[in-house]
Amino acid sequence: MNIEFIEALDQIEKEKGISKEILLEAIEAALVSAYKKNYGTSQNVKINIDRETGEVKVYSQKTVKEDVKDPLLEISLLDAKKINPLVKIGDIISVEVTPKKFGRIAAQTAKQVVMQRIKEAERNIIYEEFAGRETDLVTGVVQRFDKKNVIIDLGKTEVILPPNEQIPNETYTPGERIKVYILEVKKTTKGPVIIVSRSHPGLVKRLFELEVPEIYEGIVEIKSIAREAGSRTKVAVYSKDENVDPVGACVGPKGTRVQAVVEELKGEKIDIIKWSKNVTEYISNALSPAKVISVDVEEDSKIARVLVSDQQLSLAIGKEGQNARLAAKLTGWKIDIKSSKTDSRGDENES
């Protein structure tokens, strides 16, 4: 190695932020292993790289002995004094043993170490950038498929959209730009692993924050979300300003805001309902678009008994019970729905 190599390390330190001294220490440690691998393992060797010239020298650490029994680890006092006249019995002395062809081995080893450290540094930079960003919304490009995982390119790194975080029946096309919700950032020996989701309710929340300025500004708050990804989502919203209609703010002029969210979710239906601290009113709203006649609640058991007209019963329950199921999930209440016509017969539907 030479002075150009030292200058290259200076450049790496400036551009990648990797300490030159740390790189040199790592190279020296790797060269010890390389030396022992190529020239035997019994010697106690030390590698020194000149910080100015890049010159590499190998030193064998030997104990000064009166009677030498192992020449690889010991040196006589007479020979030791030829190197350092001040040494005495029991001292450790460095004897240069640099092989003639060690330069080639050193260059190859140094290159491997530097490349490895650069890769590790880049991985750390990516991890530091994404650590703590769970629940963030990011945009990426569908890159490829790895078994059932979808690999998405965020520019600086790739993230994984596993099967259980994909929207059922949604298709992904390489080159397509999509928005994803960061679910988890893990540090592994192979670098950071970032798991994202398209099915998490948090994705819907982030999309509304993006489209609705009143949410971003904190005037309108999303209180709860119940989602069956790819099919339907209910969002409960509340306004801290009585002059701002939270549902209207989320729907937007001519429905443009909610439509933007629906388009990103490939047609998933979204019900925006007004949150209320009044439980009966909240549950009644949650069953929208069905019209509710009355709601009786049992606070202790958190059961709500809902009465609707016979015409509204199927709408309140929804296809395969979805509307009632989402309303129950949204409010946290168990909901029993009866029609006014069949109430007396005890016809009951629960979610």
Side-chain angles (χ1 to χ4, degrees):
M1 293 189 290
N2 50 32
I3 194 167
E4 284 79 14
F5 176 75
I6 297 296
E7 290 173 351
L9 295 185
D10 286 330
Q11 196 67 22
I12 290 170
E13 185 174 54
K14 289 179 183 175
E15 294 179 359
K16 305 288 185 182
I18 309 171
S19 165
K20 173 186 168 184
E21 188 56 34
I22 289 176
L23 277 175
L24 284 168
E25 289 174 1
I27 293 168
E28 286 173 339
L31 286 177
V32 169
S33 300
Y35 178 84
K36 289 185 175 181
K37 181 180 178 183
N38 286 274
Y39 299 98
T41 59
S42 57
Q43 293 185 78
N44 181 20
V45 296
K46 181 181 178 183
I47 304 289
N48 178 262
I49 301 173
D50 190 291
R51 272 35 178 180
E52 299 296 328
T53 65
E55 185 180 8
V56 178
K57 289 187 176 179
V58 184
Y59 295 94
S60 177
Q61 305 289 101
K62 296 189 178 186
T63 305
V64 180
K65 294 273 189 175
E66 189 70 51
D67 182 18
V68 175
K69 295 180 179 176
D70 184 350
L72 288 175
L73 300 174
E74 299 168 352
I75 186 171
S76 70
L77 182 62
L78 182 65
D79 289 339
K81 283 187 175 292
K82 292 176 184 175
I83 300 169
N84 182 357
L86 301 178
V87 296
K88 54 185 182 297
I89 298 295
D91 285 353
I92 304 293
I93 189 168
S94 295
V95 180
E96 185 182 351
V97 292
T98 311
K100 288 183 179 178
K101 295 182 180 180
F102 194 61
R104 183 178 58 82
I105 295 171
Q108 290 175 343
T109 304
K111 183 180 178 182
Q112 290 172 359
V113 170
V114 170
M115 294 301 290
Q116 183 182 353
R117 288 303 174 105
I118 288 175
K119 189 178 288 186
E120 288 173 0
E122 289 174 342
R123 287 172 173 173
N124 283 335
I125 289 170
I126 291 171
Y127 176 77
E128 294 299 329
E129 182 177 337
F130 284 93
R133 287 188 61 190
E134 285 98 339
T135 76
D136 271 10
L137 181 72
V138 291
T139 301
V141 177
V142 176
Q143 193 69 18
R144 56 193 163 81
F145 301 95
D146 179 11
K147 297 179 181 175
K148 292 183 178 180
N149 295 321
V150 180
I151 309 301
I152 298 166
D153 182 13
L154 295 187
K156 291 182 179 178
T157 189
E158 291 181 340
V159 297
I160 301 170
L161 178 63
N164 60 330
E165 297 299 335
Q166 297 169 18
I167 295 177
N169 301 319
E170 186 177 42
T171 56
Y172 304 98
T173 307
E176 174 189 14
R177 291 183 69 81
I178 58 172
K179 290 182 172 63
V180 291
Y181 179 81
I182 299 178
L183 198 61
E184 185 179 11
V185 180
K186 295 188 288 188
K187 195 171 191 177
T188 73
T189 54
K190 294 182 179 179
V193 173
I194 302 169
I195 306 296
V196 296
S197 176
R198 287 275 296 168
S199 61
H200 196 280
L203 176 67
V204 179
K205 183 177 182 181
R206 293 297 181 217
L207 289 173
F208 271 106
E209 288 174 351
L210 203 64
E211 298 295 334
V212 183
E214 290 85 351
I215 293 178
Y216 182 79
E217 293 166 0
I219 299 170
V220 172
E221 182 182 349
I222 293 178
K223 285 286 191 180
S224 180
I225 296 178
R227 186 181 185 198
E228 293 188 357
S231 179
R232 192 171 184 177
T233 290
K234 284 182 179 287
V235 183
V237 292
Y238 167 74
S239 176
K240 297 173 183 173
D241 184 341
E242 61 181 16
N243 296 315
V244 175
D245 172 20
V247 176
C250 292
V251 171
K254 298 182 179 178
T256 52
R257 292 174 178 176
V258 68
Q259 193 56 37
V261 177
V262 170
E263 286 177 7
E264 177 59 39
L265 299 178
K266 310 283 181 64
E268 186 172 314
K269 294 177 181 175
I270 295 179
D271 299 336
I272 304 169
I273 66 112
K274 189 175 181 180
W275 179 87
S276 173
K277 60 183 178 182
N278 183 308
V279 175
T280 59
E281 183 181 345
Y282 183 32
I283 292 172
S284 178
N285 292 344
L287 287 167
S288 171
K291 304 295 182 186
V292 172
I293 295 173
S294 65
V295 178
D296 292 321
V297 296
E298 295 177 9
E299 292 282 353
D300 294 340
S301 55
K302 294 211 77 172
I303 294 176
R305 304 192 186 284
V306 177
L307 193 65
V308 298
S309 68
D310 193 49
Q311 293 78 9
Q312 292 287 308
L313 182 61
S314 60
L315 191 60
I317 296 170
K319 186 179 180 182
E320 298 176 348
Q322 187 184 56
N323 192 54
R325 189 166 59 246
L326 285 173
K329 194 174 179 182
L330 187 75
T331 59
W333 282 72
K334 186 176 181 181
I335 300 176
D336 296 346
I337 303 174
K338 297 177 182 177
S339 75
S340 54
K341 186 175 180 180
T342 57
D343 186 21
S344 60
R345 297 202 303 268
D347 186 9
E348 192 172 275
N349 297 277
E350 295 184 359
S351 290

